[in-house]
Amino acid sequence: MNIKIELFENDRAIEVYVHGEIDAYTAPELREILFPLSKKDEVQMVVDLTDVDYMDSTGLGVFVGIFKNIRAKSGELRLVGLSNRLKRLFEITGLADIMDINSPIEGEVE
């Protein structure tokens, strides 16, 4: 189980591209990279999950923590490119109601 994380940072705008699976084995790497960034003031973080094949509750926990950090510092978190399976995971847990998971990637038509 592998994960690849690409990060592009410009002042408060952060783009993250995640490839692979987010589970108990790979979530700590994701957390290690994104948590410090999520504590910046007014950060605008977009996480593209187009190439994520699988995510378990450990991955959800990472995103909840990141979301809380960002909100506490008046920032925004957008999760984009979710497969139907990932969207369903966020809907079942109720996270879809509080997190921005449905915004299209810029230039993408809904």
Side-chain angles (χ1 to χ4, degrees):
M1 293 173 227
N2 293 319
I3 189 169
K4 179 181 175 190
I5 303 163
E6 294 178 83
L7 186 66
F8 301 93
E9 187 176 359
N10 182 4
D11 193 27
R12 291 183 306 208
I14 299 171
E15 293 179 38
V16 182
Y17 297 88
V18 183
H19 310 272
E21 298 181 354
I22 305 172
D23 57 23
Y25 298 103
T26 61
E29 182 178 348
L30 185 65
R31 180 187 337 254
E32 183 179 315
I33 292 170
L34 297 186
F35 258 52
L37 298 171
S38 71
K39 294 180 180 182
K40 292 183 170 191
D41 290 333
E42 299 178 358
V43 71
Q44 304 294 310
M45 185 181 292
V46 177
V47 181
D48 188 330
L49 300 173
T50 301
D51 293 329
V52 171
D53 306 321
Y54 172 82
M55 181 168 31
D56 67 10
S57 61
T58 314
L60 285 176
V62 169
F63 285 114
V64 168
I66 291 167
F67 174 75
K68 286 181 178 180
N69 287 345
I70 289 175
R71 288 288 293 265
K73 297 283 191 166
S74 301
E76 289 184 37
L77 172 66
R78 286 181 41 218
L79 303 179
V80 299
L82 281 74
S83 66
N84 288 335
R85 179 182 223 174
L86 290 183
K87 280 183 189 174
R88 184 78 178 124
L89 183 61
F90 278 87
E91 290 168 356
I92 289 171
T93 58
L95 293 172
D97 295 333
I98 60 169
M99 297 175 81
D100 184 353
I101 66 163
N102 295 314
S103 294
I105 299 170
E106 283 192 30
E108 182 179 79
V109 178
E110 280 190 272

